[in-house]
Amino acid sequence: MDYTPFSYVTAEKADLYREVMRTFVEAKSHFLVHLRPEDVQQQLGEPELATVQAALTQLVTWGNLDAERDNARVTSVEDYYRALYVYQITRHGEAVEAALATYDQELGRRGALQSVALEDIRARLRALLTLAQSEAPDATQSQLLLRDLAGVFADLAENARAFMTGLNRSLESQDSDADAFLLYKERVIGYIERFLGDLTTASGEIAELIRTLSGDGDGDREHREAPVDRLLRQAAERELADLAPGESPDDGEERERAFAEAWRRWHGHWDGLRAWFLDQPGRQAQARLLRSSARRAVTQLLEMVGRLNERRMARSDRSADFRTLARWFLECQDDGEAHRLWRTAFGLTPARHLVIDAETSERWQQEPVPASTPWAEAPGIQVQPRLRATGNYQKAGPPPKLYRRTRERELLARQLAEEASAARAARRQLVERGAERLSELGELGELDDGAFRLLLNLLGDALAASQGDDAPVTTTTADGGLRITLSPLGPESSATIVTPAGALSGRDYRLEIVDLEASA
């Protein structure tokens, strides 16, 4: 492939060539196809027409522009032989300008954490679920919804990546200007916290919708088609009808190959969405990693604010300390003073690190020696000959054998299984009580520690998502396992829940807890 049309990007007069090409791109956007040298000169404001003419000629040579005889301006024989031309941009030149515009746009892209995209993803997943549950889903709606979902999701992922990359660069560059950084910090922390709240709220429902569409939790999942598979197949089949006549497969085998390629592409989009919001074996969900990265960025911002405040109060930093120390070294009268200053400043005095045996340690415990005792007056210690000769207790020989940690692994696996069993028991205890109010939940008996901690987490998630004191709220846990619905009963109502750690009292709510994994 010929890349000569890119030559003007690195040529000696690259700035002039870029301006000329942008003039033709701008003219084409206004439906102006042909431009004369005088038109280009007027747009550029270039005083020398000869300079513009030379640039146009060179761009024609590289294949970015086409030149045609301008016979409309020929009024004499001299005009005919003077070879007047009009110019238009070629397909190669237009492609190069489009590539350069994309390059500039991507380099200057700051990215964003799109809370609106999360709501768009939820809306399209709800619509897909409704469509998948219908008896005869419409293929057009299936493809449009899946295409919109893939586009919104790709935009969300790319913008989040660009934002975190740009934020890391900003953290490195903002350290010099304290006032600008403090103002920047306030805006960024508020922006990140608002997105994290939306992401935490939306992830649970999105994960639940994805599981339902994927058929997770279905006992006969291996022998039944997932609801989303039917929609993905419709989208893949509909793509085959859009192929150009020269590319449309006529043979059955070729058609199956084209369908398999389209199916893999659509299924890959869906797998990417699952990997973003659902944990996979041995790999955390990308949404969880994004939350961790955003929280880490907030921590870094706060640490930098602490350093800036410390620098403002102390009016000193490490470079200033080293400059002061260098001046003190220059003021030393002799090498002895310089060495004493060195030992005082850096504490690099000679030291002997000895390892004592159990016998010596027991004798020191029985007859303690004050730390202020000089070494010359302190009792001596016995040093093994090998340590005195080689400085090492170890004998020469092969390395020690590798230690098998099978027992530790079994202990860790047993501990994890016990924790998972305790969590399931806590869920079961809350769900099986079937209490309609918090006050009824307290009247049914004492909650154990695990169930009480789970209840506190559920109440915290629900109250955080509430729009007001008197508005009911429904939310799900971050893993999509439980759904809780709280409806306030009135400011005068009260409820008390007794636990081994004490009693929890507060306003009474109508309560509904549903185990989504069990219902699926």
Side-chain angles (χ1 to χ4, degrees):
M1 185 176 291
D2 185 16
Y3 293 103
T4 305
F6 282 92
S7 300
Y8 73 92
V9 179
T10 56
E12 182 179 353
K13 299 180 180 180
D15 294 339
L16 175 61
Y17 295 138
R18 287 296 307 274
E19 292 180 2
V20 171
M21 292 300 297
R22 279 195 289 264
T23 300
F24 278 90
V25 173
E26 180 70 17
K28 188 171 182 180
S29 67
H30 293 86
F31 308 106
L32 298 177
V33 179
H34 296 89
L35 292 179
R36 294 169 176 164
E38 294 82 0
D39 301 330
V40 179
Q41 180 190 23
Q42 182 180 1
Q43 292 294 327
L44 298 180
E46 181 67 37
E48 295 293 335
L49 182 61
T51 303
V52 176
Q53 184 66 60
L56 293 172
T57 303
Q58 185 59 60
L59 288 170
V60 170
T61 304
W62 284 327
N64 301 94
L65 299 177
D66 271 341
E68 297 180 5
R69 293 290 297 266
D70 189 9
N71 296 325
R73 291 194 295 171
V74 175
T75 59
S76 63
V77 177
E78 291 79 4
D79 291 339
Y80 180 80
Y81 286 108
R82 199 167 53 183
L84 301 175
Y85 292 97
V86 291
Y87 299 87
Q88 65 176 353
I89 191 170
T90 62
R91 283 201 315 162
H92 298 82
E94 194 171 356
V96 171
E97 277 301 307
L100 293 175
T102 303
Y103 179 78
D104 294 337
Q105 179 183 357
E106 288 299 320
L107 284 184
R109 185 174 186 176
R110 297 186 59 185
L113 299 176
Q114 297 174 307
S115 299
V116 177
L118 294 172
E119 183 58 36
D120 291 343
I121 290 175
R122 279 198 294 188
R124 282 159 178 79
L125 286 174
R126 293 193 199 105
L128 281 174
L129 182 58
T130 303
L131 195 63
Q133 292 174 345
S134 62
E135 295 182 0
D138 184 76
T140 302
Q141 293 185 16
S142 300
Q143 187 183 29
L144 290 177
L145 283 173
L146 289 170
R147 184 185 301 166
D148 289 347
L149 179 63
V152 172
F153 170 66
D155 194 44
L156 169 66
E158 178 60 25
N159 271 283
R161 181 201 63 79
F163 176 81
M164 296 309 300
T165 303
L167 180 60
N168 292 332
R169 287 198 301 264
S170 299
L171 290 178
E172 297 174 359
S173 62
Q174 290 283 351
D175 194 22
S176 58
D177 191 345
D179 295 331
F181 176 75
L182 292 176
L183 181 62
Y184 172 78
K185 179 266 302 181
E186 295 292 340
R187 298 199 308 265
V188 170
I189 289 182
Y191 181 72
I192 292 177
E193 288 180 345
R194 186 166 57 253
F195 174 77
L196 287 178
D198 295 338
L199 181 61
T200 302
T201 304
S203 294
E205 183 180 355
I206 291 176
E208 178 186 352
L209 290 168
I210 292 175
R211 287 194 184 98
T212 305
L213 282 166
S214 300
D216 294 353
D218 192 343
D220 198 19
R221 173 69 181 89
E222 296 181 359
H223 305 287
R224 292 180 59 186
E225 184 181 45
V228 75
D229 288 344
R230 182 167 54 162
L231 306 182
L232 295 175
R233 182 183 298 104
Q234 284 183 335
E237 290 174 348
R238 195 166 183 270
E239 280 192 2
L240 300 182
D242 294 334
L243 296 178
E247 302 174 0
S248 180
D250 297 326
D251 185 67
E253 183 178 350
E254 290 295 329
R255 185 174 182 82
E256 289 180 1
R257 187 180 298 112
F259 171 77
E261 182 180 351
W263 165 259
R264 282 194 301 271
R265 183 170 61 257
W266 282 107
H267 214 278
H269 294 332
W270 182 256
D271 290 340
L273 186 64
R274 284 180 55 90
W276 230 82
F277 291 99
L278 296 180
D279 291 334
Q280 306 293 326
R283 185 178 62 184
Q284 287 186 337
Q286 292 297 316
R288 190 188 300 271
L289 297 177
L290 177 59
R291 286 199 297 268
S292 301
S293 299
R295 292 192 184 101
R296 188 165 55 250
V298 171
T299 303
Q300 292 175 353
L301 284 168
L302 295 177
E303 290 176 353
M304 294 184 71
V305 170
R307 289 199 298 269
L308 287 175
N309 291 333
E310 183 179 324
R311 187 178 303 176
R312 283 183 166 185
M313 290 185 295
R315 293 297 178 187
S316 175
D317 55 16
R318 183 170 296 180
S319 60
D321 293 341
F322 281 129
R323 286 193 296 268
T324 302
L325 188 60
R327 187 176 70 252
W328 288 353
F329 274 111
L330 291 175
E331 294 173 354
C332 291
Q333 299 296 326
D334 52 26
D335 290 343
E337 287 189 6
H339 283 296
R340 285 194 294 275
L341 177 60
W342 174 271
R343 287 194 294 271
T344 303
F346 297 101
L348 298 179
T349 54
R352 297 177 182 177
H353 302 280
L354 300 179
V355 180
I356 62 174
D357 53 15
E359 218 176 281
T360 305
S361 177
E362 184 178 354
R363 187 172 68 251
W364 282 4
Q365 290 180 0
Q366 295 175 355
E367 301 176 2
V369 179
S372 58
T373 305
W375 280 28
E377 300 177 6
I381 61 174
Q382 299 295 325
V383 180
Q384 292 187 6
R386 183 182 296 111
L387 177 64
R388 184 174 182 178
T390 64
N392 195 341
Y393 274 117
Q394 300 294 331
K395 296 181 180 180
K401 296 181 179 180
L402 294 177
Y403 180 70
R404 293 184 177 273
R405 303 191 180 274
T406 306
R407 184 169 175 272
E408 287 79 358
R409 292 196 194 95
E410 293 176 353
L411 181 62
L412 183 59
R414 187 162 58 251
Q415 182 179 356
L416 292 175
E418 291 174 356
E419 292 178 357
S421 177
R424 288 193 297 270
R427 287 189 176 190
R428 188 164 54 251
Q429 185 178 0
L430 288 180
V431 174
E432 290 180 354
R433 289 200 172 199
E436 295 184 356
R437 298 184 179 183
L438 284 178
S439 56
E440 294 179 2
L441 185 65
E443 294 171 358
L444 291 175
E446 187 178 272
L447 285 177
D448 60 27
D449 186 65
F452 179 61
R453 290 179 180 273
L454 177 60
L455 177 63
L456 286 180
N457 290 333
L458 293 176
L459 292 177
D461 292 342
L463 294 176
S466 177
Q467 301 296 325
D469 294 339
D470 298 323
V473 60
T474 299
T475 186
T476 58
T477 55
D479 60 355
L482 290 177
R483 182 177 67 223
I484 180 171
T485 301
L486 281 181
S487 301
L489 295 179
E492 71 284 350
S493 61
S494 63
T496 301
I497 300 175
V498 181
T499 70
L504 172 68
S505 299
R507 184 176 179 178
D508 198 6
Y509 287 85
R510 189 176 300 279
L511 175 69
E512 181 186 1
I513 301 176
V514 179
D515 190 347
L516 299 175
E517 294 180 353
S519 61

